[in-house]
């Protein structure tokens, strides 16, 4: 596995591969890698798999969250080597991604970015789109692999590619979960033992609510039940739970208003913010 910190080194290697006719798949991450990240690399059907690790400061609207974001570069490298899932790891310092002459591109996502994460984390998607756009410019992959876990992020990145008229193919990979259902996340390591034991309630509630709604339970009462269960368990501070149209991300008041419905949730558990989602119907 090649490991580069400089854009020029990465671009030289990738241009050599491309000259040999090889296709390049790209998995951008913020590190603290886990099996979910590896599953994205393993899903890549391209000849070459590139992974980046960059904790992007511009997408954090909370300074403490940025500071506390786990950083485990040695373990990340070991995981990529052990899993043999990556050909090139890019670990740039901030000034490589944002050089002094960098002019951020502004995208208008309209209603897509105004709901859910966009409503609770102002500026988050501007920063995320900026870094994805910059990393795509640097890596110039044929395919981009992203996780269903960050459902709204995938929609926004699809919109970025559309607005850029980009030929890059976006591939969405299912959420990898722990045996007890908890969605794998870099943030999970910040849960204490008690919180970690409670965390699977999130997915348990999402799947219960999905079943109930498919049997006719109205959306508002299914959402109320999730909230009640989280509050009863203690330690949770839910931010939102909502069923949205999978394309527009706008809230649905009834399941039959759309043929693609996704139940999305964000909650604090202690000092850790967790998100998850399930497709209710498609
Ligand atoms: P992050 O490092 O959290 O920014 O995530 C990098 C990429 O990995 C994003 O496309 C995430 O959606 C994806 N990802 C994170 N957790 C999981 C998971 N449990 N299963 C699949 N993909 C994931």
């Amino acid at each position: 596995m090649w490991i580069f910190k400089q854009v020029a080194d990465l671009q030289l290697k990738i241009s050599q591969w491309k000259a040999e006719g090889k296709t390049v798949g790209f998995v951008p991450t913020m590190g603290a890698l886990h099996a979910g990240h590896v599953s994205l690399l393993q899903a890549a059907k391209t000849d070459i798999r590139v992974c980046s690790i960059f904790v992007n400061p511009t997408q954090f609207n909370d300074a403490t969250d940025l500071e506390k974001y786990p950083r485990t570069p040695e373990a990340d490298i070991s995981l990529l080597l052990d899993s043999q899932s990556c050909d090139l790891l890019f670990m740039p310092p901030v000034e490589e991604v944002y050089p002094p002459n960098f002019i951020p591109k502004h995208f208008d996502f309209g209603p897509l970015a105004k709901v859910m994460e966009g409503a609770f984390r102002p500026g988050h998607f501007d920063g995320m789109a900026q870094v994805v756009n910059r990393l795509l410019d640097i890596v110039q992959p044929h395919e981009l692999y992203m996780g269903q876990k960050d459902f709204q992020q995938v929609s926004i990145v699809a919109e970025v590619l559309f607005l850029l008229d980009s030929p890059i193919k976006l591939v969405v990979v299912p959420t990898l979960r722990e045996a007890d259902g908890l969605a794998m996340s870099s943030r999970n390591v910040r849960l204490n033992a008690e919180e970690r034991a409670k965390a699977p309630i999130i997915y348990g509630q999402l799947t219960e609510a999905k079943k109930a709604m498919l049997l006719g339970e109205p959306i508002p009462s299914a959402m109320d039940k999730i909230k009640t269960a989280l509050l009863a368990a203690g330690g949770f501070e839910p931010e939102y739970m909502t069923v949205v149209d999978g394309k527009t991300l706008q809230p649905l008041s009834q399941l039959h208003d759309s043929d693609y419905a996704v139940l999305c949730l964000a909650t604090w558990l202690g000092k850790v913010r967790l998100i998850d989602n399930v497709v209710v119907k498609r």
Side-chain angles (χ1 to χ4, degrees):
M1 178 173 78
W2 297 84
I3 303 179
F4 294 127
K5 289 188 170 6
Q6 307 296 314
V7 171
D9 296 334
L10 168 135
Q11 288 184 329
L12 180 62
K13 189 69 220 159
I14 289 187
S15 64
Q16 286 167 357
W17 277 323
K18 284 193 174 170
E20 293 165 14
K22 293 190 166 140
T23 53
V24 176
F26 179 40
V27 176
T29 81
M30 298 206 298
L33 299 183
H34 50 68
H37 295 114
V38 173
S39 76
L40 301 190
L41 286 157
Q42 287 169 335
K45 301 266 188 301
T46 49
D47 301 314
I48 301 294
R49 294 148 306 168
V50 176
C51 175
S52 66
I53 294 180
F54 179 63
V55 183
N56 175 36
T58 71
Q59 73 189 65
F60 284 82
N61 55 321
D62 174 346
T64 316
D65 193 23
L66 171 62
E67 184 200 321
K68 293 264 164 67
Y69 199 84
R71 291 165 175 86
T72 57
E74 288 86 13
D76 291 351
I77 292 171
S78 299
L79 180 59
L80 294 178
L81 288 173
D82 292 347
S83 59
Q84 299 188 347
S85 54
C86 180
D87 301 292
L88 190 161
L89 170 60
F90 182 46
M91 305 174 88
V94 174
E95 51 293 2
E96 276 295 289
V97 178
Y98 301 124
N101 58 353
F102 175 75
I103 301 167
K105 192 167 166 57
H106 180 73
F107 298 94
D108 183 4
F109 300 115
L112 272 188
K114 296 208 165 67
V115 293
M116 301 194 284
E117 296 300 288
F120 282 89
R121 302 181 69 190
H124 167 66
F125 286 126
D126 291 333
M128 189 278 291
Q130 190 185 90
V131 79
V132 168
N133 181 37
R134 172 72 178 131
L135 289 171
L136 292 178
D137 252 3
I138 294 172
V139 177
Q140 303 203 3
H142 299 93
E143 300 188 0
L144 172 64
Y145 289 79
M146 304 197 83
Q148 164 85 18
K149 173 170 170 284
D150 298 275
F151 182 67
Q152 191 174 14
Q153 170 169 282
V154 169
S155 305
I156 302 269
V157 170
E159 187 67 9
V160 168
L161 296 176
F162 172 76
L163 293 170
L164 293 172
D165 205 12
S166 167
I168 298 170
K169 179 179 161 196
L170 175 62
V171 182
V172 185
V173 181
T175 304
L176 202 70
R177 299 180 180 280
E178 304 287 356
D180 58 16
L182 175 64
M184 289 189 182
S185 163
S186 305
R187 291 187 159 91
N188 292 351
V189 296
R190 293 186 49 220
L191 298 170
N192 66 29
E194 193 190 335
E195 290 159 354
R196 176 62 189 83
K198 284 180 183 171
I201 296 174
I202 297 170
Y203 184 58
Q205 284 301 311
L206 292 181
T207 45
E208 283 295 309
K210 169 178 172 168
K211 252 190 273 169
M213 288 186 292
L214 288 174
L215 289 172
E217 170 141 32
I219 292 176
S221 84
M223 298 306 101
D224 277 350
K225 283 184 185 157
I226 299 178
K227 191 169 180 184
T228 306
L230 293 180
L231 293 177
F236 289 98
E237 266 179 68
E239 274 189 345
Y240 63 80
M241 60 234 19
T242 175
V243 179
V244 298
D245 176 88
K247 288 208 182 70
T248 64
L249 303 191
Q250 299 315 294
L252 296 171
S253 41
Q254 306 180 72
L255 214 50
H256 59 246
D257 287 346
S258 166
D259 47 19
Y260 179 20
V262 184
L263 166 52
C264 300
L265 174 150
T267 181
W268 290 87
L269 178 49
K271 292 197 162 49
V272 185
R273 189 173 183 278
L274 300 173
I275 59 170
D276 201 351
N277 66 81
V278 292
V279 176
V280 180
K281 65 170 188 178
R282 183 163 202 180

